[in-house]
Amino acid sequence: MIQSQKHLQTKSSPAQFSGTSPQLTVDLGALVSNFNTLRNAAQQSGSTCAGVLKANSYGMGYERVAEALWAEGCKTFFVALVGEGVKLRGLFPKATIYVLSPYLSLDADLLREYHLIPCLYDLDGIDLWIAANGTAAPAALHFETGINRLGLSTQDLEQLLSNRSRLNKLDLKLIMSHLSSADEQQSEHNQQQLEAFKRIRNEFPNTPASLANTAGVFLGTEYHFDLVRPGIGLYGHDPHYYENQGSRLKPVATFAAPLAQVKNLKAEEAVGYGATKLDRDSTIGVILCGYADGVMRALFKPDSKEGHQVSINGYKAPILGRVSMDMITIDLTTIPKEARAIGSMVEIFGNHSPVENAAAMAGTSAYELFTRVSGRAVRKYV
Ligand SMILES: *Cc1c(COP(=O)(O)O)cnc(C)c1O
């Protein structure tokens, strides 16, 4: 064991840590509570609630997140890539697993072998999937209504309907589309996409339909159809947080790293790359995480010397100095000595330092901050 780790392993306080890795603590109780909030909203219109687990469950880990949702009665999962679906299938032999971004010319065999349902988005993909399966190929059809990412176009829809030979060979499980602007409650795109999706749905009266992501669930019952597909809400971010100035969901993730060193510096001294000059005599703390762990450099603005407020033992402390690969420096000047012991875990985002604040400062979203948390961080579940 290295020397520094030894002195960081003091047992005097429960806030102390037992290793030098940054930690992403996932509150599974809060996750389940968020699932129930979204499921209850969906149930008002008779809609079922699935869970979106792409990107390692938004950085929080497939296995434990999926287990918690499954135990709560969530039986349908969405992932982005076929490899994610294969991983999930190993854990849940009976789950319904949709793959949002299948690439049929390469993925057809794995999709079949692992009983994954592709969300097909072009005619070529449909043809390849039918060829791989013979008849009754289990599939979702993903239609374009305005986001213009993956999706069958209006012309594709016309072709499918004018000669129904393709549709006849599919075991159609779901028709779906995706909203571009559901996080903006007043955006006219929402209503436009809703109307476009309703027109498509009229052509498939006997097939379950799905439009809403998390934000869509909160837009109202007319967006729910038969199945809703929340992702980010499960993980604790309310997409209308900024517009509503608050959250209807519970924070799930706490990202924290240990305080390794504290130093007293004079006003003329500097910290970090680029030598950010101190404006006053300061107490600076060094934390063992950095941009390699997903802490964005944009969380400190060198020109204004403004930094995201992290928290340490309940006190707020701004990042001061540029974020390095494995270290960040924070301003502890006004924090009482007993609240800044070496080894204290410093929260970058979580209950005390909302991820929404960090996202706003970095000019990004909670989605990006969650999924940026690196593999180096230890995932803990409570
Ligand atoms: C990511 C994704 C979702 C989940 O969206 P959230 O905003 O995280 O709730 C749902 N549907 C599709 C097609 C997606 O790509």
Side-chain angles (χ1 to χ4, degrees):
M1 184 184 288
I2 56 168
Q3 194 62 34
S4 62
Q5 215 166 351
K6 220 183 247 169
H7 83 251
L8 288 167
Q9 268 182 346
T10 52
K11 293 200 177 74
S12 56
S13 143
Q16 312 267 303
F17 80 113
S18 58
T20 46
S21 292
Q23 293 176 3
L24 184 70
T25 305
V26 179
D27 182 342
L28 294 172
L31 173 93
V32 164
S33 158
N34 293 337
F35 173 69
N36 281 316
T37 299
L38 292 158
R39 176 165 61 180
N40 291 341
Q43 267 169 359
Q44 288 173 8
S45 44
S47 180
T48 303
C49 191
V52 178
L53 303 183
K54 60 194 180 188
N56 196 27
S57 296
Y58 291 48
M60 296 182 204
Y62 293 111
E63 192 164 348
R64 299 295 299 273
V65 165
E67 267 172 12
L69 294 176
W70 180 263
E72 199 63 17
C74 180
K75 303 296 178 202
T76 301
F77 298 132
F78 286 82
V79 293
L81 302 179
V82 70
E84 300 176 317
V86 167
K87 207 175 283 183
L88 213 52
R89 175 59 76 217
L91 301 167
F92 301 95
K94 296 204 172 121
T96 300
I97 303 174
Y98 288 98
V99 176
L100 291 166
S101 310
Y103 190 69
L104 266 293
S105 57
L106 296 175
D107 291 346
D109 291 346
L110 282 176
L111 289 164
R112 259 173 67 79
E113 188 180 345
Y114 290 89
H115 303 287
L116 307 171
I117 306 175
C119 300
L120 301 169
Y121 52 84
D122 61 11
L123 297 180
D124 287 346
I126 293 175
D127 289 338
L128 286 165
W129 188 231
I130 289 170
N133 283 270
T135 53
L141 293 182
H142 189 165
F143 289 100
E144 188 50 67
T145 54
I147 191 171
N148 288 313
R149 301 190 314 189
L150 296 178
L152 291 149
S153 67
T154 313
Q155 294 86 326
D156 294 336
L157 174 61
E158 279 166 14
Q159 282 208 45
L160 286 171
L161 294 173
S162 66
N163 170 357
R164 299 186 75 94
S165 63
R166 286 190 179 94
L167 290 179
N168 291 338
K169 289 177 191 145
L170 291 175
D171 173 11
L172 198 52
K173 304 286 190 193
L174 189 71
I175 60 159
M176 59 175 286
S177 191
H178 191 50
L179 297 164
S180 70
S181 309
D183 55 328
E184 301 167 41
Q185 295 165 96
Q186 304 308 324
S187 170
E188 62 191 19
H189 284 277
N190 298 326
Q191 194 68 32
Q192 287 165 1
Q193 287 193 267
L194 177 63
E195 294 309 323
F197 190 60
K198 281 183 183 165
R199 286 194 293 275
I200 295 166
R201 199 208 187 186
N202 287 338
E203 306 291 348
F204 299 90
N206 302 315
T207 306
S210 176
L211 179 63
N213 58 355
T214 304
V217 175
F218 288 130
L219 285 181
T221 53
E222 51 182 350
Y223 288 83
H224 292 174
F225 297 92
D226 304 296
L227 183 79
V228 298
R229 312 185 305 270
I232 195 76
L234 302 173
Y235 309 105
H237 170 62
D238 183 334
H240 302 142
Y241 178 93
Y242 300 105
E243 289 185 357
N244 295 350
Q245 298 184 355
S247 181
R248 292 158 290 199
L249 301 164
K250 293 183 181 165
V252 169
T254 301
F255 184 46
L259 180 65
Q261 193 175 32
V262 174
K263 52 192 65 189
N264 294 310
L265 300 174
K266 294 278 176 228
E268 68 278 9
E269 293 186 272
V271 284
Y273 288 119
T276 300
K277 209 165 170 191
L278 297 174
D279 296 329
R280 58 175 180 183
D281 292 355
S282 303
T283 303
I284 298 295
V286 183
I287 312 172
L288 301 186
C289 68
Y291 61 76
D293 302 295
V295 182
M296 294 178 75
R297 292 182 86 238
L299 289 179
F300 177 71
K301 308 256 178 273
D303 294 339
S304 58
K305 299 186 190 176
E306 192 191 356
H308 168 59
Q309 302 266 353
V310 301
S311 61
I312 175 167
N313 294 317
Y315 290 89
K316 288 282 169 66
I319 293 176
L320 177 54
R322 277 191 176 77
V323 173
S324 301
M325 186 185 292
D326 315 298
M327 279 173 261
I328 61 180
T329 42
I330 61 174
D331 185 358
L332 297 171
T333 309
T334 61
I335 292 177
K337 207 170 174 190
E338 62 278 9
R340 52 175 173 79
I342 298 297
S344 296
M345 288 305 280
V346 177
E347 184 182 299
I348 315 299
F349 61 74
N351 276 314
H352 299 97
S353 289
V355 68
E356 290 83 4
N357 292 358
M361 169 151 269
T364 184
S365 63
Y367 297 75
E368 189 175 1
L369 293 187
F370 287 157
T371 53
R372 269 174 175 268
V373 174
S374 74
R376 186 162 70 172
V378 173
R379 269 68 176 171
K380 292 202 163 179
Y381 298 90
V382 294

